[in-house]
Amino acid sequence: MKLVVVGLGQCGGRIADEFARLNKRARGLRGLDIITGAYAVNTDLADLSGLHTIRSDFSQRIVIGKKKTGGHGVGKINELGAEIAREDSDMVIETIRNTEHFADTDAFLLIASAGGGTGSGAVPVMTQQIKERYVDKPVYNLIVLPFEHEVITEDRTIYNVATCLKSSYLVADAIFLVDNQRYVMKDSSLTHNLAKINTTIAQPFFNLLCAGEEKKQRFIGAKILDAGDIIQTLVGWTTLGHGRSQTPMFKSLFGGNRNFREKASETQKGTHALDEAISGLSIRCNPLDSKRALYLISAPAREINVDLIKELGTYIKNMAPEAIIRSGDYPREKGNMEVTVILSEMSDVEKVRNYFTKAINLISELKKRQEGVVTTQRGIDITIKDIPSLL
Ligand SMILES: Nc1nc2c(ncn2[C@@H]2O[C@H](COP(=O)(O)OP(=O)(O)OP(=O)(O)O)[C@@H](O)[C@H]2O)c(=O)[nH]1
Ligand SMILES: [Mg+2]
């Protein structure tokens, strides 16, 4: 599957940069292209210059709203981010359309944080505009939810998250929810942490996108997972995860005959990798609430057997009994056994629901406060009228 990836705002841009790196890896290691174009769009010039892999000319790092913000961002006001995106979306879409391999694109992936201003406001607007222009291509969002400390200390964050999620949900074909808090590692600095988090966010997409693009016979699975399967799986609120199980250093010392013990150990490795993928899902959720699921197993060809596929299928079926499950295998030459999992069309995600509830409370509180402010102002106004003015 080939994506056009558009990162909006600082967080979105950095993760899009990570996807650009993913494509470099796919090219270098596998001779495949999985990204037809990677772009970073921002109101903030300095943020754009901090990227590494997205080409540094203005056709891939796109500045919007320069007149309104002077190139300094929108300072968390996501209404302004939305307004700027509406004004400049034609220019952004035109730039994307001019990419050399644009015609090969299967879908769009727009990435942003929900808690900031530029990305949070621009992501639903850009999604809507792209959908209007390209009715036959799905448009997905990957939305990053803030760390807990950001929510506690700043009410605006709650408001931004709720308005961004609601608006994106109305227009995007599916939304990958990524919760920063799930990736917190206590022992490292925040910058290092963010870079690490971004790598972890992009990683599950690597095999997922490569599998359907393989041309070499020996890497083509018994059941290929291609763009069609992925598109059919992705609807509404979505989460994904990736797990890996180490391949033992000392493989069968006694030639090629694979006995039942080895098969059993492969099944065990598979379930271990699947466990890891589920426990590391990008947002906490109840798999019972998902209506669609997908899993991809990537492993050395000799380790992929029927028992393993069956075992993983049963595991997911028990976990998400209401879901339509799609699956595939991706034989590799060597390396670990890896499992990628997607749960989609989630009817409930507690964290999202909580954001909506908190925002509603916040808005009514704000209204009350504003009314309070109006009365005090009126009080001052009354006393002020007897004071002489110098103007
Ligand atoms: N995972 C991840 N989260 C990030 C990154 N950078 C910022 N964030 C999160 O994104 C939110 C802040 O949004 P930004 O993307 O910086 O904001 P913006 O879209 O550039 O908007 P403005 O700066 O307000 O114009 C916070 O919740 C941060 O924790 C990043 O590189 N990775
Ligand atoms: Mg910014």
Side-chain angles (χ1 to χ4, degrees), residues 123-311:
V123 72
V125 173
M126 284 301 306
T127 301
Q128 187 177 41
Q129 303 282 337
I130 293 174
K131 276 207 76 68
E132 279 172 16
R133 294 265 204 114
Y134 300 99
V135 280
D136 57 336
K137 285 193 207 299
V139 185
Y140 303 122
N141 289 171
L142 187 154
I143 295 187
V144 176
L145 304 182
F147 296 100
E148 263 153 31
H149 70 262
E150 297 173 299
V151 182
I152 295 164
T153 53
E154 176 59 67
D155 282 350
R156 180 77 206 189
T157 307
I158 295 169
Y159 181 83
N160 284 356
V161 173
T163 49
C164 170
L165 287 178
K166 178 193 169 157
S167 318
S168 287
Y169 185 68
L170 291 176
V171 285
D173 289 283
I175 300 176
F176 292 100
L177 293 163
V178 173
D179 184 5
N180 265 346
Q181 193 62 33
R182 297 268 285 174
Y183 301 85
V184 172
M185 291 166 297
K186 294 212 171 67
D187 300 333
S188 66
S189 78
L190 190 64
T191 336
H192 178 66
N193 221 339
L194 283 178
K196 191 97 209 277
I197 291 173
N198 295 346
T199 313
T200 318
I201 291 171
Q203 186 192 30
F205 288 89
F206 188 55
N207 286 328
L208 195 67
L209 298 175
C210 282
E213 295 303 316
E214 270 299 345
K215 306 288 179 301
K216 292 189 193 88
Q217 190 57 42
R218 66 180 191 284
F219 297 142
I220 293 183
K223 207 165 171 199
I224 306 165
L225 191 97
D226 60 16
D229 295 301
I230 299 174
I231 290 170
Q232 286 304 324
T233 301
L234 297 178
V235 175
W237 305 120
T238 301
T239 175
L240 81 170
H242 177 265
R244 156 182 309 187
S245 185
Q246 301 295 325
T247 316
M249 297 259 279
F250 305 104
K251 290 242 46 142
S252 173
L253 295 170
F254 308 104
N257 266 344
R258 312 188 46 70
N259 62 30
F260 78 96
R261 252 186 260 276
E262 277 183 333
K263 269 194 181 172
S265 97
E266 271 140 22
T267 312
Q268 218 171 46
K269 273 196 288 178
T271 46
H272 176 262
L274 182 58
D275 263 339
E276 200 177 285
I278 300 289
S279 61
L281 282 172
S282 57
I283 191 161
R284 190 194 299 274
C285 64
N286 185 350
L288 282 172
D289 297 323
S290 68
K291 301 282 180 299
R292 296 169 197 243
L294 174 152
Y295 66 94
L296 173 70
I297 169 130
S298 316
R302 62 202 298 270
E303 294 185 13
I304 302 175
N305 59 58
V306 183
D307 289 349
L308 171 67
I309 306 272
K310 208 176 117 196
E311 182 75 19

Side-chain angles (χ1 to χ4, degrees), residues 9-11 42-44 47 72-76 116-119:
Q10 174 156 42
C11 171
N42 209 328
T43 53
D44 192 322
D47 284 356
H72 296 302
V74 299
K76 288 199 87 164
T118 302

